[in-house]
Amino acid sequence: EAQVTQNPRYLITVTGKKLTVTCSQNMNHEYMSWYRQDPGLGLRQIYYSMNVEVTDKGDVPEGYKVSRKEKRNFPLILESPSPNQTSLYFCASSLSIGAGRGYTFGSGTRLTVV
Amino acid sequence: GDSVTQMEGPVTLSEEAFLTINCTYTATGYPSLFWYVQYPGEGLQLLLKATKADDKGSNKGFEATYRKETTSFHLEKGSVQVSDSAVYFCALTNSGGSNYKLTFGKGTLLTVNP
């Protein structure tokens, strides 16, 4: 089944403890992206990647890192999480760059930083 | 920059009622327009899309027409069901940049009562 898989689904952590949220897609998609969803703000892009070893900042990159060493994986790294990073995170992928292409989303990771 | 404005929710309807969720956008160039749906506890799913002016996207009884003259992409359904209860997001991607990120509206919660 074609899908984007995120892990974990739920995570509670403490301020400053490094964590990684994994994202993997099995569709050979070139384009991958991370979004965070917050009440009243909708979804905002954190980082994106157009292909292996090509990543760039989205609208809200502060406090996050990403890497794209393999085409299928695009982990989101929080080196020193803070409470304002408590949010619902979504990974998304698309076959290639193209304004008309839809994205496939993962099921989300709900992160709480205390 | 690009932006999407959709009607504030929540929207509560009875089963078989007519649904309209308004969406307007601001963008340079020639954006592609999308409606995504998020069922409780799940990720976003592409509902329908339109890539150029006057295109009509349709899926599962939902429709939306790309109106360039009014910069709108309103979502409609003639007869809603309880299973349509979800959050609906209007979004666009724009060929004017290299990112092709999805710019989302804030979402509209729809509740359909039996």
Side-chain angles (χ1 to χ4, degrees):
Chain A
E1 179 187 353
Q3 60 186 359
V4 176
T5 303
Q6 292 179 231
N7 280 297
R9 288 293 305 273
Y10 302 91
L11 178 60
I12 301 174
T13 190
V14 296
T15 299
K17 185 176 181 182
K18 180 180 178 179
L19 65 92
T20 300
V21 183
T22 63
C23 173
S24 180
Q25 50 91 5
N26 62 1
M27 297 166 282
N28 202 36
H29 283 178
E30 290 183 350
Y31 184 93
M32 299 184 74
S33 185
W34 277 102
Y35 290 81
R36 60 177 289 174
Q37 182 180 13
D38 300 292
L41 296 176
L43 286 93
R44 296 175 292 168
Q45 190 188 51
I46 303 170
Y47 268 94
Y48 68 96
S49 169
M50 291 196 286
N51 214 324
V52 175
E53 303 292 1
V54 182
T55 64
D56 207 347
K57 298 176 181 178
D59 295 322
V60 288
E62 294 78 19
Y64 304 95
K65 286 176 55 177
V66 293
S67 68
R68 188 93 181 271
K69 293 184 170 56
E70 305 167 285
K71 199 170 188 179
R72 68 175 66 186
N73 295 325
F74 191 45
L76 180 70
I77 303 158
L78 286 72
E79 294 270 1
S80 183
S82 62
N84 65 11
Q85 293 178 296
T86 293
S87 188
L88 179 57
Y89 291 87
F90 289 101
C91 182
S93 72
S94 181
L95 180 61
S96 64
I97 297 297
R101 297 195 182 276
Y103 290 20
T104 302
F105 281 81
S107 298
T109 295
R110 185 167 292 281
L111 172 66
T112 303
V113 184
V114 299
Chain B
D2 299 342
S3 66
V4 174
T5 302
Q6 59 182 104
M7 62 186 287
E8 300 267 340
V11 174
T12 302
L13 296 173
S14 298
E15 206 164 24
E16 299 184 2
F18 184 85
L19 169 71
T20 299
I21 301 177
N22 290 336
C23 171
T24 57
Y25 67 90
T26 301
T28 57
Y30 303 95
S32 294
L33 303 175
F34 304 85
W35 278 99
Y36 280 83
V37 58
Q38 183 179 30
Y39 298 104
E42 298 183 13
L44 282 76
Q45 301 175 24
L46 178 63
L47 181 59
L48 53 85
K49 68 177 183 180
T51 58
K52 61 184 188 296
D54 299 324
D55 269 2
K56 177 185 282 189
S58 62
N59 186 25
K60 299 181 181 179
F62 291 89
E63 293 183 340
T65 300
Y66 188 148
R67 302 283 188 203
K68 193 168 178 64
E69 64 276 14
T70 55
T71 62
S72 65
F73 193 54
H74 305 320
L75 182 69
E76 296 182 337
K77 187 175 185 182
S79 176
V80 294
Q81 305 300 311
V82 172
S83 57
D84 294 327
S85 298
V87 180
Y88 292 82
F89 292 92
C90 186
L92 67 83
T93 59
N94 201 337
S95 59
S98 61
N99 184 351
Y100 292 99
K101 72 175 182 182
L102 278 165
T103 298
F104 286 92
K106 294 183 179 180
T108 302
L109 173 63
L110 169 67
T111 301
V112 180
N113 294 318

